[in-house]
Amino acid sequence: MLRFPKFKFPAACMAIACTALAPAVLACTSLLYGDSNNQFYAGRTLELPMELPYKVSYYPAGTTFGSQADKHHVLEFTGQNAFLSIGMPDPVSGDVKVVEGVNEKGLTFSLLAFSSAEGPVDMVDNTQAVLSAIDLGEWTLSQFDTVAEVKEALEEQPVMVTSLLPLGLMKTPFHYALHDATGKSIVIEFANGEKNVIDNPLGVMTNGPEFSWHMTNMNNYTFMSNIDQSKLEINGVKLEQPDSGIATAGLPASNTSVGRFVRAVYYSHFAEKADDADSAITTLSHVMNNFDRPRGITIDNRFRDSIENITAPGVNHNRVYTSEYTTWISLTNLQKRQLYIRTYDSLNYIRFDLDDLTDVEEIRHVELKDVASGPSNATAALNP
Amino acid sequence: MLRFPKFKFPAACMAIACTALAPAVLACTSLLYGDSNNQFYAGRTLELPMELPYKVSYYPAGTTFGSQADKHHVLEFTGQNAFLSIGMPDPVSGDVKVVEGVNEKGLTFSLLAFSSAEGPVDMVDNTQAVLSAIDLGEWTLSQFDTVAEVKEALEEQPVMVTSLLPLGLMKTPFHYALHDATGKSIVIEFANGEKNVIDNPLGVMTNGPEFSWHMTNMNNYTFMSNIDQSKLEINGVKLEQPDSGIATAGLPASNTSVGRFVRAVYYSHFAEKADDADSAITTLSHVMNNFDRPRGITIDNRFRDSIENITAPGVNHNRVYTSEYTTWISLTNLQKRQLYIRTYDSLNYIRFDLDDLTDVEEIRHVELKDVASGPSNATAALNP
Amino acid sequence: MLRFPKFKFPAACMAIACTALAPAVLACTSLLYGDSNNQFYAGRTLELPMELPYKVSYYPAGTTFGSQADKHHVLEFTGQNAFLSIGMPDPVSGDVKVVEGVNEKGLTFSLLAFSSAEGPVDMVDNTQAVLSAIDLGEWTLSQFDTVAEVKEALEEQPVMVTSLLPLGLMKTPFHYALHDATGKSIVIEFANGEKNVIDNPLGVMTNGPEFSWHMTNMNNYTFMSNIDQSKLEINGVKLEQPDSGIATAGLPASNTSVGRFVRAVYYSHFAEKADDADSAITTLSHVMNNFDRPRGITIDNRFRDSIENITAPGVNHNRVYTSEYTTWISLTNLQKRQLYIRTYDSLNYIRFDLDDLTDVEEIRHVELKDVASGPSNATAALNP
Amino acid sequence: MLRFPKFKFPAACMAIACTALAPAVLACTSLLYGDSNNQFYAGRTLELPMELPYKVSYYPAGTTFGSQADKHHVLEFTGQNAFLSIGMPDPVSGDVKVVEGVNEKGLTFSLLAFSSAEGPVDMVDNTQAVLSAIDLGEWTLSQFDTVAEVKEALEEQPVMVTSLLPLGLMKTPFHYALHDATGKSIVIEFANGEKNVIDNPLGVMTNGPEFSWHMTNMNNYTFMSNIDQSKLEINGVKLEQPDSGIATAGLPASNTSVGRFVRAVYYSHFAEKADDADSAITTLSHVMNNFDRPRGITIDNRFRDSIENITAPGVNHNRVYTSEYTTWISLTNLQKRQLYIRTYDSLNYIRFDLDDLTDVEEIRHVELKDVASGPSNATAALNP
């Protein structure tokens, strides 16, 4: 639980937020792209069948945080690094939880849905302070500079996968992708009762199944190449593909977590290495556009599945179906600590510059919807 | 040939332009999207392995045009409708030729690469005025209100597929997709020596092979549905796809003309019917993002193929390969006569409003690169 | 109409035969395979949702035939070559029509379903003898040695696509694939009112759409290669496919005519060139096994479609669906004039040797079902 | 090690056998098919890039066996059940090891390549008798009636994954699929240092990765259905697939273990439930034909990979490549204890009847190559 003053949160909104955190209806693609100067850029989508009251927040260094896991003592920590984040309210407390963020050292954090998350059994004495998994964003962004530091710290720090709802419901159904300015990535995943902190040299993460399953699956795509094989002669017949683009023919077309993982590896790896930061961000934007899922493109029967699907609005003129769509996309320049966000209802990106907030000494929040269609540089909204 | 004063065109630029018109390296996706109010919106990408000096142009009603096909008398015509367009210089004359445009009645025109274009043999007396196919954009946008009118007029008007270069090289290697504000579409295609003007109820066009081939190919996708089939029980085993998005699993993954055609039908048809124009444009933007091809994603050996590939710059740090990429995307609101353009180097869209130019009485051009990163409403650049 | 004595044909059986000839429910794959000695072997499947009273027949040289197309004079011809065939009774006359056959010069003929067959309008004077398309098998096998001869003869000989049923129903809905001992193949196809005799250097034919559509479609498979790309290193991650067989990942999985055409090109081209005839036949058998469609693998609603689907028996325990399955597969050694047949109900192939029938001087028929499970050399059944 | 007299084994042959057991070049598909009377039939392919001296063997009840794992005491056991098997010589001892078999109770055993097999660390006292994993075939077929019995026995019996070669090379790189006459299946798999005995309700097994990976992968195929969706209307355009077979369009086309697993589930589940044993066996033969891989269809660079690939003969006329092909296919009737085998060089199946060997009181072997092309009932070869 955070130590800064609680803001009120209407019950209806909480209900929505609650359902939004449910695993079956939240999908995400996170990837890391490097330019030709070894500078790195993180792209990330978030898919939900509904809108949530997202906040863009700034946390200065020196902010104090607290995390409580069930009956354990509160883990208190003070921020070493300022960070920018996109957050979602906790369904019960209303506290803002980090979904995506970048800190002043260029460490990024992405919370991604993982329905089968299952942490270790609680064997820790209640008098010991334990980190609640839902607070991993605040803890990593505020405390560490690199994924290596995070990895080392997690060897010591107990983390518990607590329930997000009363009665033990919804065991924090997420896993976590982190990238840093040196181009290293890790995944933090609680699966089968174990805490796994795994190096992620491909820099890609989506959703379930477990990260290790996806990595094994990549062995089914060893034929990947971006070079068009556009000519073939068989028995004297000269076949020729008149168009470019046949190289992607073997990629999976599915928009599921599994299909997106493979394509995210392909796109982040084969996109041209840009020669400067501006080109890198536009290149990354084109990459991420290939993971932009319009409402209606795939739909689910809203009454068949879980409660959260009932809460989500139906697609227009076909109310019995809901559709998971790309609520927003973020692009992060890890060297320049700039966070670009494009929401579903907006044609264009807005940008926040962490470096322009260094003189701000308190936590600041702004509703994402209030700035999404405003000026392209939205930093001022956090430093009015 | 246009009657307005010729502007100078540097030779180097012309050489590039020339190669740019070559069929093997130009790909495009055109589609029509309708909202729930039966208002229509056209999306279109243009892919080339290089940048060209595109111009955004405004032609008022009353503009006089001329088109000359080989030795035939010049076909002269005067604009009935004002129109906005994105144009590309003719390789020889330097005249701007319409690649994409919308007129004041909401008729749109898209020129798309079609390498095997082959028009009728010239049986027309030289003393008769004949339209050159490369001038179809100016002719249709300036003269007609609907695709039905265009279709009717083409029953009478002879059109010739002339060479774009001396010595009979490059027989105007394009076909043409037109949409109108009533939601009707046609394709104009010269193939096997015949002029075909074909109703296009799916509203989608890409590149070769012939339009009729693509329509036959759609019969291989009768299983298309946007409803996720996420559960299956076999022998008591309950399979369940935890993520949404499996409905697209059967779509083609190739970025070739053939793959894009099928996906363009899918995306334009299944995207949620928006309830207002703003939502429609953002929905269309998400649809078009799925046809946004980053540089490097597919690459071709630049020396193996035709001359134009040699002219194109190699991809960064791998100069032997060129890459066809989405140079720009346009979104057109046919009811409001608004044209949105996003270039490859720009993160965001700019917009031109035809209705705000009604008091302009002369042709206006602006270089696309000069406005692409400027204010989101760029109309003023055409009416300074 | 054949000149040999009519055998009786029960009405019920005729009804079945009639429906069997209908296009929507008959599929076939024909391909030519060459060994390392330039000897050739033809493989062919026939798919129907029901059993028909197929006959294996022997026609000696000197047999006289007649073909009548509507009101035209009967075209009479005398066999120059003996041939073996698998035949199906004509729905009205009960005459046996050739579905598959090989003659003493190694010319083969395969009749394959093509629902949109449409021949030229009958402009020929009724007093002229015209070949009915349904008799192409008898005409080509009995008269010619090579596909080149067939092609030449068809430049002169008028052929009409007549109705197989009264009232103009069922316009002989087939096209025809022929191979010869030199390894040449042609397709005879009546489409859009024209008779097309087309060289077929890939040696593959299935069903609709038109042959030219399939050939264009092959340009979408220029990446075809049988070499497994089983290793890939990305960002230092060594991906490795532990199993062999990844080379086929890009092939179409559909069992439709379109999917089978592509795979038939792949399989016939990449299968190892055998060094002797026995190995060639077993290699071909393995190739054809990949086109062996079990009952139930794909099913259709029997009442939704055409009359023939109603006649077909439902799949076991799910009578509302019918299933098209591989009724039989034939393998033909063109040099040795041996015809192997395996029916759906039989585990193993039987063989007929044309050369062992040279002393037979009259037409012989045997019911396929009577010999399908008998001795592997079934030639004696035609020469008891 | 077996107690029956050792037969001599030439060194060259042993070298081949040795390489043949290597994981990277051996692939298999095992599946269980049930008819409408709840009778069961097992199909299985074996793929290798070379021929091996396979033996078909009969072991009467009462046969004594011994299995030694490293330095442990020999585990001795006496057969309770007679069984038929196809075996491969052990690379070092020359003893025949069961690759495929069925016993008199209808229990079947299939040894399938699994390169990453890794058993538990040897913590057992050397004075205890331990089963060597390579002897699982003899042990299960001779001792048990059902997979439930095998599963229960394996809870007590220690099993070790020993090296097949000196110096600790080749740790028995297999996993094991068992089916029984009640239609139950299990998989025995040593992975990550653990012995897993897993219920296999889908009845399918291929090769790596682990069985649990494949089962998770099945969640990516929840859209599987054998019903052709052959009609679709979009914007008034009536699309229609004229051919049957579009239902398989979403299946994987790859011939790797992963692709074959999915297709084996599809084919074994959707093939028509036959109404009698003869139809069931022919139906199963058609199913298995879809897993029949011709030589050359996919090829690997023989020198790039491991030693075993060097030993394998190159494909004809392209000696630098080897090709994994379906060396043989077996079909087993679990109720009637009949084993059908078709080798690559043979067009047709031969059959062995276990029930016809009940009076044989000693172990019998016959070389598979000596009988593969002989009479279709080959049982007499084991009971001359």
Side-chain angles (χ1 to χ4, degrees), chain D residues 249-271:
Chain D
L251 294 181
S254 168
N255 273 334
T256 61
S257 172
V258 171
R260 288 181 283 111
F261 193 102
V262 177
R263 281 185 283 127
V265 170
Y266 183 95
Y267 272 81
S268 60
H269 182 68
F270 288 120

Side-chain angles (χ1 to χ4, degrees), chain A residues 23-24 26-27 36 115 207 226-228 230-231 240-258 260 266-267 270-275 281-283 285-287 289-300 304-305 314-317 319 321 324 326 331 340 342-349 376, chain B residues 23-24 26-27 36 115 207 226-228 230-231 240-258 260 266-267 270-275 281-283 285-287 289-300 304-305 314-317 319 321 324 326 331 340 342-349 376:
Chain A
L26 188 153
S36 64
S115 60
N207 308 106
N226 62 335
I227 303 174
D228 283 332
S230 300
K231 294 186 179 183
E240 181 163 0
Q241 171 52 239
D243 197 6
S244 77
I246 205 166
T248 62
L251 294 181
S254 168
N255 273 335
T256 61
S257 173
V258 171
R260 288 182 284 110
Y266 183 94
Y267 272 81
F270 287 121
E272 187 182 41
K273 300 290 175 209
D275 280 340
I281 282 290
T282 50
T283 300
S285 76
H286 299 300
V287 165
N289 280 342
N290 285 276
F291 299 88
D292 187 2
R293 298 161 67 180
R295 271 181 73 85
I297 285 310
T298 62
I299 60 179
D300 283 291
R304 191 183 54 187
D305 293 305
V315 293
N316 287 348
H317 315 289
R319 297 287 169 187
Y321 289 104
E324 202 166 305
T326 301
L331 315 173
Y340 299 78
R342 188 179 68 199
T343 63
Y344 190 76
D345 289 334
S346 180
L347 209 53
N348 291 332
Y349 280 94
S376 67
Chain B
L26 188 153
S36 64
S115 60
N207 309 103
N226 62 337
I227 302 175
D228 284 331
S230 301
K231 294 185 181 185
E240 181 163 1
Q241 172 51 241
D243 197 7
S244 75
I246 205 166
T248 63
L251 294 181
S254 167
N255 274 334
T256 61
S257 173
V258 171
R260 288 182 283 112
Y266 183 95
Y267 273 82
F270 288 120
E272 186 183 41
K273 301 288 176 211
D275 280 339
I281 281 291
T282 50
T283 300
S285 77
H286 298 302
V287 165
N289 280 341
N290 286 275
F291 299 89
D292 187 1
R293 299 161 68 181
R295 269 181 75 86
I297 285 311
T298 62
I299 59 178
D300 284 290
R304 191 181 56 188
D305 293 303
V315 293
N316 286 349
H317 315 290
R319 297 286 167 189
Y321 288 103
E324 202 165 302
T326 301
L331 315 172
Y340 298 78
R342 187 178 68 199
T343 63
Y344 190 76
D345 288 335
S346 180
L347 208 53
N348 291 331
Y349 279 93
S376 66

Side-chain angles (χ1 to χ4, degrees), chain D residues 97-118:
Chain D
K97 301 300 184 186
V98 175
V99 175
E100 178 70 29
V102 59
N103 74 14
E104 61 179 272
K105 301 294 166 37
L107 178 73
T108 70
F109 173 91
S110 305
L111 171 153
L112 311 171
F114 179 56
S115 60
S116 55
E118 181 198 348

Side-chain angles (χ1 to χ4, degrees), chain D residues 63-83:
Chain D
T63 303
T64 57
F65 301 89
S67 174
Q68 185 169 18
D70 295 346
K71 307 287 189 197
H72 290 278
H73 282 196
V74 170
L75 177 72
E76 305 196 337
F77 50 94
T78 301
Q80 308 300 310
N81 290 321
F83 65 91

